[in-house]
């Protein structure tokens, strides 16, 4: 039955010619596909903090936060200011309130899945204050 329905949809597709709209029916309106999760303003953004040698030669520290679709977050801290160097790689999910620009996330170690702690953050335009494990980083949005 499913194969028949798919065949019918393909066979009955838009066959109009010369309409000038590139063959598509999207005229900028409509509602999103109900199967697609709506995401917040942080989805698919990256934020970073850097301290130290510009060429990333010791000593330096680079902290990176990436917000993904479906409220996922990845956190990385490559700290070469300490001896020996310390690297933290974590992941989790986050909540974010666009009205206040604040959010939280519980982060887990990517190597063994144990909980590392809760991060809080506040976004103000292209800047974010990210607090985790007793440290606060003033981060900038990464533009590509």
């Amino acid at each position: 039955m499913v194969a028949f329905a798919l065949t019918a949809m393909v066979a009955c597709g838009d066959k109009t010619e010369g309409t000038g709209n590139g063959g598509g029916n999207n005229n900028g309106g409509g509602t999103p596909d109900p199967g697609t999760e709506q995401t917040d303003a942080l989805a698919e953004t990256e934020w970073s903090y850097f301290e130290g040698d510009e060429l990333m030669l010791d000593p330096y520290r680079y902290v990176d936060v990436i917000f993904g679709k479906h409220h996922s977050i990845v956190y990385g801290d490559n700290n070469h200011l300490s001896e020996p160097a310390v690297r933290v790689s974590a992941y989790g999910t986050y909540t974010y309130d666009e009205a206040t620009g604040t959010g939280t996330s519980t982060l887990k170690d990517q190597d063994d899945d144990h909980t590392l702690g809760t991060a809080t953050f506040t976004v103000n335009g292209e800047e974010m204050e990210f607090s985790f494990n007793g440290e606060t980083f003033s981060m900038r949005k990464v533009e590509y």
Side-chain angles (χ1 to χ4, degrees), residues 86-141:
V86 177
R87 292 178 187 88
V88 176
S89 185
Y91 72 97
T93 57
Y94 69 92
T95 58
Y96 180 61
D97 181 352
E98 288 186 60
T100 62
T102 60
T104 62
S105 175
T106 300
L107 296 173
K108 294 182 178 183
D109 189 294
Q110 284 190 330
D111 293 329
D112 61 14
D113 289 331
H114 79 274
T115 300
L116 296 175
T118 300
T120 60
F121 53 91
T122 303
V123 177
N124 185 8
E126 302 291 308
E127 297 181 3
M128 175 173 67
E129 293 290 319
F130 189 88
S131 298
F132 181 60
N133 282 345
E135 295 184 273
T136 299
F137 304 100
S138 296
M139 304 181 119
R140 301 267 319 148
K141 187 174 184 181

Side-chain angles (χ1 to χ4, degrees), residues 43-81:
E44 299 183 314
T45 63
E46 182 175 354
W47 306 76
S48 68
Y49 164 85
F50 184 81
E51 178 181 352
D53 187 274
E54 293 175 6
L55 299 175
M56 294 183 84
L57 302 171
D58 289 342
Y60 73 93
R61 186 171 192 181
Y62 182 75
V63 181
D64 191 46
V65 174
I66 300 171
F67 295 98
K69 290 182 179 180
H70 310 290
H71 299 278
S72 65
I73 183 173
V74 175
Y75 168 84
D77 183 354
N78 195 357
N79 186 354
H80 286 251
L81 296 175

